[in-house]
Amino acid sequence: DPQVWYEVKARKVLKNLIADLDSRGHSSLTVQENGEVFVQAKENEAEPAKETFLDFPEKVYWPQLVKVLEEEGYAADARDADILVSW
């Protein structure tokens, strides 16, 4: 269940990650299927963040996860290979 996963494994990690990235001028991140987090470094160039979400929900659950993120106040978009999260 994406809601439970978010509450148990992701809320605190995401909040801390966003605070750090926001302080460095970023306004979005992407999460790959394996849970790895990337930020846009330069145009068409992503760099890995120092964080990975454990037990990231399978792709079939991404639409539900997008709703969970949106309910938390983030903009989220499930794409082919990742989820884009903006704040």
Side-chain angles (χ1 to χ4, degrees):
D1 178 359
Q3 179 74 45
V4 172
W5 173 84
Y6 179 78
E7 297 293 336
V8 174
K9 299 196 175 190
R11 179 190 296 273
K12 186 177 179 183
V13 173
L14 185 62
K15 188 175 182 179
N16 291 339
L17 186 58
I18 286 176
D20 177 52
L21 293 175
D22 192 51
S23 74
R24 294 191 281 138
H26 295 283
S27 60
S28 67
L29 59 83
T30 58
V31 185
Q32 306 292 312
E33 283 187 69
N34 64 1
E36 287 185 59
V37 178
F38 288 84
V39 293
Q40 192 74 26
K42 298 175 185 155
E43 193 166 328
N44 298 322
E45 188 179 307
E47 72 179 36
K50 293 171 180 66
E51 204 59 71
T52 299
F53 289 107
L54 301 176
D55 303 319
F56 193 65
E58 294 177 32
K59 216 171 183 177
V60 67
Y61 298 109
W62 285 8
Q64 290 170 270
L65 182 56
V66 164
K67 288 180 183 160
V68 170
L69 291 167
E70 288 173 342
E71 288 169 6
E72 292 294 318
Y74 305 111
D77 183 24
R79 306 184 301 185
D80 286 342
D82 58 26
I83 293 181
L84 173 68
V85 181
S86 304
W87 55 90

